[in-house]
Amino acid sequence: PGSTGYFDIIIETVNVDVDYNVEIVDSKEETDLQDLVLKQYELNDSGTRVNITNHTYSQDFTKNTERTKIRFYFVWDDDPTTEP
């Protein structure tokens, strides 16, 4: 309880000919891990963290982007009043 961490997703799309959308949903329907919550994300080591709302991250990206790094920050939330 109270632990925090992050994980990275790196997308290489140099040869992609269409714009695209990335959507990550923090769904609790198919897991027993109810207390792990995505809280924020950061794009390309910008140093700016953005809060995730409604348990969903969604972003449009432009075709032929050399590299996109999305860092997701999570927290272990053991508070019974915030459980889904």
Side-chain angles (χ1 to χ4, degrees):
S3 295
T4 61
Y6 65 85
F7 64 91
D8 296 331
I9 295 177
I10 297 173
I11 304 169
E12 304 279 347
T13 57
V14 173
N15 296 316
V16 174
D17 292 330
V18 295
D19 295 342
Y20 62 98
N21 176 274
V22 172
E23 184 173 279
I24 308 288
V25 178
D26 182 8
S27 175
K28 303 300 182 191
E29 296 173 9
E30 298 178 17
T31 182
D32 292 329
L33 196 56
Q34 298 292 315
D35 296 332
L36 190 66
V37 180
L38 291 178
K39 297 299 261 183
Q40 297 176 318
Y41 70 91
E42 175 185 351
L43 287 177
N44 297 319
D45 298 318
S46 66
T48 302
R49 293 185 184 186
V50 179
N51 290 333
I52 294 176
T53 58
N54 299 323
H55 305 285
T56 301
Y57 163 83
S58 181
Q59 179 118 11
D60 294 323
F61 291 95
T62 305
K63 62 185 175 184
N64 295 318
T65 303
E66 184 173 325
R67 180 177 182 265
T68 300
K69 176 180 173 183
I70 310 167
R71 175 166 284 178
F72 290 95
Y73 294 89
F74 60 86
V75 63
W76 186 271
D77 183 1
D78 207 26
D79 183 350
T81 64
T82 59
E83 291 180 0

